[in-house]
Amino acid sequence: MDFRLKVFYTVANRLNFTKAATELYISQPAVSKHIQELEETYKTKLFERNGSKIALTPAGEILLKHTKSIFEIYREIDFDLSTFIDNRQGLLRLGASTTIAQYIISPVLARFHQKQQDIKVNLLNGNTEQIENALINKEIEIGIVEGQTKNQSIKYIPFLKDELVLVCNSKNPLVQQNEISLEDLKAMKFITRERGSGTLEVIEYALKQVDVKITDLQIEMQLGSTESIKSYLLNSDCFAFMSIHAVGKELQNNELIVLDVEGLSIERHFFIITLLGKSDPLSELFIENISSFYNLKL
């Protein structure tokens, strides 16, 4: 593998020479030298420099596209040839949306590593929209997400079933009610995930089925992670719809409590996503391990 291309790829993704140098364990002047050599080789500028900021030129965009394809071929070579020896080797770039990365995937990764110790796994964490974009841009080979936006270039494989429940601080006065009505929801203050979150997408769809719009709710704040929402709930009288997988510890410790909502049940699947029509042996091996771990037929 041409190390200069690896340097270019890292700088193109970070758009920062210092961060690229740290990631590659080389000096910043060495990064600059490699980029300069590439620009001399192709007789064109790959980056526009504006003070401390850099951006890809059109030529840089083209080189990045080809570099991604080259690295993908190298990955497949490493994995395919490693099948001739006892231990399979390679790099699997995995993406998982927030709830899954924090509460679902860790035991799977631990067992996968025990069985395939020479396969390195890089895990990218983000919301569903970010993970789907990373897959489309070939920054990851496989993703596990909370929503199903039905992008036509993505294959969606139903994974685990999940339930979203209404939770609040166990000291909240409304916990005395046996059931929350749909009208009650409109008077309550909510904390939600940000736009692009698969969880928010599922909540919006479920509420729409019972003639409640997300805009009917009083949204006090939008937060970017499940953990930050839980922390906020523990220090306020707000409410949130959250994955039952995410609040198990808090329910057990009686810090949060689940409230029943009249006529509302929010169930969903987590989805494994891959690029449509693209077969990746390493991804298939990982999916096989997931299905075995959860005793699923995928």
Side-chain angles (χ1 to χ4, degrees):
M1 185 187 296
D2 188 335
F3 187 68
R4 291 179 306 173
L5 283 182
K6 188 173 182 181
V7 173
F8 165 76
Y9 180 78
T10 308
V11 174
N13 279 308
R14 297 284 171 264
L15 292 178
N16 185 298
F17 279 66
T18 305
K19 289 180 180 178
T22 302
E23 188 171 325
L24 293 165
Y25 299 103
I26 60 176
S27 66
Q28 189 173 330
V31 170
S32 300
K33 182 173 179 291
H34 285 301
I35 297 300
Q36 185 181 352
E37 287 175 358
L38 276 176
E39 291 179 330
E40 288 172 357
T41 299
Y42 296 116
K43 297 180 174 59
T44 186
K45 288 287 182 187
L46 300 172
F47 294 97
E48 294 286 358
R49 295 161 176 82
N50 182 10
S52 60
K53 294 182 179 179
I54 62 169
L56 283 165
T57 63
E61 295 279 4
I62 291 171
L63 182 59
L64 178 59
K65 177 184 171 185
H66 289 302
T67 302
K68 286 179 180 177
S69 299
I70 290 168
F71 287 172
E72 198 171 329
I73 291 168
Y74 275 122
R75 277 187 62 257
E76 291 177 3
I77 290 171
D78 287 343
F79 181 76
D80 288 345
L81 292 184
S82 73
T83 59
F84 289 95
I85 58 178
D86 289 339
N87 294 325
R88 289 180 168 181
Q89 298 176 341
L91 169 65
L92 175 64
R93 297 174 304 172
L94 176 68
S97 52
T98 309
T99 300
I100 294 162
Q102 289 178 320
Y103 311 106
I104 305 295
I105 202 68
S106 295
V108 178
L109 291 177
R111 197 177 87 158
F112 185 71
H113 178 69
Q114 287 172 357
K115 294 174 72 175
Q116 306 289 346
Q117 293 189 10
D118 290 323
I119 293 176
K120 184 180 178 184
V121 178
N122 286 353
L123 178 63
L124 173 70
N125 183 18
N127 64 33
T128 294
E129 184 179 11
Q130 290 166 337
I131 298 304
E132 289 190 350
N133 286 337
L135 182 68
I136 291 166
N137 293 329
K138 297 185 178 179
E139 294 165 11
I140 58 174
E141 286 76 47
I142 182 171
I144 310 177
V145 297
E146 303 158 35
Q148 186 184 16
T149 55
K150 285 292 185 186
N151 187 302
Q152 292 185 347
S153 61
I154 293 176
K155 179 181 180 182
Y156 294 86
I157 307 166
F159 174 36
L160 281 179
K161 187 174 275 191
D162 183 32
E163 183 183 4
L164 293 171
V165 292
L166 181 66
V167 294
C168 68
N169 190 315
S170 57
K171 297 183 178 67
N172 192 301
L174 280 185
V175 301
Q176 306 302 324
Q177 289 187 213
N178 291 331
E179 194 174 58
I180 303 294
S181 73
L182 294 175
E183 280 303 310
D184 288 336
L185 291 179
K186 298 175 183 178
M188 295 154 61
K189 292 181 179 179
F190 282 85
I191 307 299
T192 69
R193 287 287 305 280
E194 79 290 353
R195 285 286 163 193
S197 158
T199 298
L200 183 59
E201 177 190 308
V202 172
I203 292 167
E204 283 191 87
Y205 179 80
L207 290 174
K208 190 176 178 182
Q209 305 310 300
V210 290
D211 296 322
V212 177
K213 298 175 187 173
I214 196 78
T215 51
D216 292 335
L217 305 183
Q218 297 181 44
I219 310 295
E220 181 163 310
M221 196 170 296
Q222 291 187 324
L223 297 174
S225 75
T226 305
E227 286 298 311
S228 59
I229 290 177
K230 286 197 292 185
S231 180
Y232 198 103
L233 291 180
L234 291 171
N235 292 279
S236 76
D237 282 335
C238 288
F239 300 81
F241 287 103
M242 304 189 75
S243 166
I244 194 71
H245 290 288
V247 293
K249 185 177 75 173
E250 288 75 17
L251 295 178
Q252 190 175 355
N253 294 339
N254 200 34
E255 296 171 311
L256 296 178
I257 195 163
V258 173
L259 300 175
D260 290 329
V261 181
E262 176 192 4
L264 182 66
S265 174
I266 310 179
E267 292 187 342
R268 63 174 175 181
H269 269 98
F270 295 135
F271 290 89
I272 296 169
I273 59 172
T274 58
L275 284 178
L276 202 60
K278 172 128 181 78
S279 178
D280 183 325
L282 193 44
S283 296
E284 288 171 4
L285 180 65
F286 185 75
I287 292 171
E288 185 183 304
N289 273 263
I290 285 181
S291 57
S292 169
F293 186 88
Y294 285 106
N295 198 24
L296 302 170
K297 292 182 179 179
L298 299 180

